[in-house]
Structures are given as C-alpha cells and as structure tokens.
Amino acid sequence: MAHLGAVPFRMLVPNAITMMALAAGATGVRFALGGEFGKAAAAIVIAGVLDGIDGRVARLLRGTSRFGAELDSLSDVTAFGIAPALILYLWALQDLGRFGWAVALALAIACALRLARFNAALDAEDAPRKRLGFLTGVPAPAGAGLALSPLFLSLALDGLPAGAPEIRAGAVAVVTLGSAFLMVSTLPTWSLSALKVPRSARLVALLGVGIFAGFLAQAPWATLTVLSGLYALSIPFALASFRRRTSRGAAGAPPAP
C-alpha cells in the first residue's frame, strides 16, 4: 500500500522539466556575465522549448497540479523575465546608464505581472478568449523572444553595423519596452494549442516544419530573427480575427431580457 501523502512519479516528471527550464534561463545569465551572448541567447531558447513541453507532458501523464502551475509561473519569471532583462542589460542597455537599467526592470516586471494575471485567470469560471483559441497579451516565452530579437539579429550578422553604442542601446530599449507592453496588454494573441491544421493540409504542414527545422539547424539566429518578426506581424491579424469571431458570436446571441 502506498504511503500516505506519497506523490506518484508521473507527477514529478513535468515539474522536473520545469526546473530544467528555470536552470537554463538562469544559466543564460551566467553566460552573459562572461560575455558569451550567443550561449546566453541559446539558453533562453532552450528554456522556451522546455516550457512548451512541460505542460503537454503533464497532460499526457495526467500529472497536472496546482503546484505545477505555480512552479511553472515562477520558472517563467526567471527564464523569460529576469534572465532576458539581465542579458539585454549586459549586452547593450548598460550603455544607457540608469535609463537602461530601468528598461531592463520594465521587462522583468511586465513578465511577472503577465504571469500573475494568468494565474488569477486559472480560477475564472468563464474564459471566453480561451474558448475562442486566444490568449490575453503575448505569452512570456514569446515576449522574451521578441525582446531578444535584436540580439538574434546581431548574432546572425556576426555583429550589428558599427555605430555609437548609445544608438544600438536605444534601439534595443525601444524593442524591449515594446515587448514589455505586449506582455501586459490585453491584446488577443493566437494560442498555439488551439491552432488546428486541416486534414488535407497536414502533409504541407509537416513539410513546413521540416523546412523550418532545416533552416534552424543551418542558420539558427537568422531563423529566430525572422520567426520573431513574423510573430510580431501576426498580432494585428490575431486582433482582427478575434473581433470577427466576437462580432459573429454577438450577432448570433439571443437578445438580452
């Protein structure tokens, strides 16, 4: 007979993956402190991959729990809020002095607020956006990717064009503040878990995944730069799609008494 209060092993597997994501994000800061910004960016990307896996593994193993949800949020704050903020500060924002530090703090704080809002919504009985396949604001991993896109571009070009460090830092600050705003905004964004591929297009989708994997293996930083740009461009289309769906739902709803 199992010991009272024992936790099944299947409950620990997704939590272990979450801890690996947290460790990857924190290790990115260590690489940035040593000036190895390529490895620092790669660590955040690995944390994003692990973050996308842990929830699916938890559902597959029926190992979801409130503890896992809270741990995932704490991991996300570290890996996609604090770690990217410190990496960007050490790479470029420090050239802006105190203002650069304030920008880095804005990214970390925005990530924490976004995750606090997400956790509060877990207890909501009605989630119309989730039913329609949308999220509120940009999720933390995507926000970190958008904020790090100037670093991806620099790594793809083997260094940005020569110029005053303050100009580069200013451009990074604009992107960072924009990413922070998108995370705390109420803009609807597409949820990947809700996207469905038509049966007739599944071979084309698999071909696209294979091509993407090939580009990612051959030119990872250029591919991540393009991916970040495409995601940013998708936000207005997600907003338009959300408005169309809600307007159709309102038109088909019975009149209020």
Side-chain angles (χ1 to χ4, degrees):
M1 191 169 112
H3 291 290
L4 184 63
V7 179
F9 180 74
R10 60 181 172 82
M11 302 284 289
L12 298 178
V13 174
N15 294 337
I17 297 175
T18 301
M19 294 306 298
M20 291 169 64
L22 188 155
T27 302
V29 178
R30 183 261 178 192
F31 284 130
L33 289 170
E36 300 176 285
F37 293 105
K39 292 181 179 180
I44 303 301
V45 173
I46 293 172
V49 173
L50 293 172
D51 181 73
I53 291 175
D54 60 359
R56 287 164 177 79
V57 171
R59 289 187 289 272
L60 181 65
L61 298 178
R62 291 180 298 170
T64 56
S65 64
R66 189 56 187 258
F67 173 81
E70 297 294 342
L71 180 64
D72 185 71
S73 293
L74 291 174
S75 172
D76 286 357
V77 170
T78 301
F80 308 122
I82 297 173
L86 291 175
I87 291 170
L88 289 171
Y89 178 78
L90 293 169
W91 177 59
L93 292 176
Q94 63 179 334
D95 292 322
L96 297 179
R98 294 179 179 177
F99 177 75
W101 179 243
V103 171
L105 283 178
L107 181 64
I109 293 171
C111 183
L113 292 174
R114 193 252 182 267
L115 292 165
R117 181 177 63 189
F118 177 81
N119 285 352
L122 291 176
D123 297 325
E125 296 182 359
D126 186 29
R129 290 196 176 192
K130 186 176 181 180
R131 277 203 318 270
L132 293 174
F134 292 89
L135 301 172
T136 301
V138 170
L146 291 176
L148 290 172
S149 58
L151 178 55
F152 296 157
L153 178 61
S154 175
L155 293 168
L157 299 177
D158 198 17
L160 293 176
E166 293 80 4
I167 297 177
R168 181 190 68 171
V172 173
V174 170
V175 174
T176 303
L177 289 175
S179 303
F181 167 76
L182 290 173
M183 280 197 280
V184 298
S185 72
T186 57
L187 290 173
T189 57
W190 277 311
S191 172
L192 291 179
S193 60
L195 293 179
K196 296 182 180 179
V197 179
R199 187 177 296 273
S200 59
R202 59 183 177 180
L203 293 181
V204 177
L206 290 173
L207 176 62
V209 171
I211 293 174
F212 171 77
F215 276 109
L216 189 62
Q218 296 299 316
W221 303 122
T223 304
L224 289 172
T225 302
V226 173
L227 183 64
S228 299
L230 290 176
Y231 181 81
L233 291 174
S234 75
I235 296 175
F237 293 98
L239 176 60
S241 176
F242 177 76
R243 286 177 174 173
R244 283 197 304 270
R245 294 191 184 189
T246 51
S247 62
R248 283 201 300 265

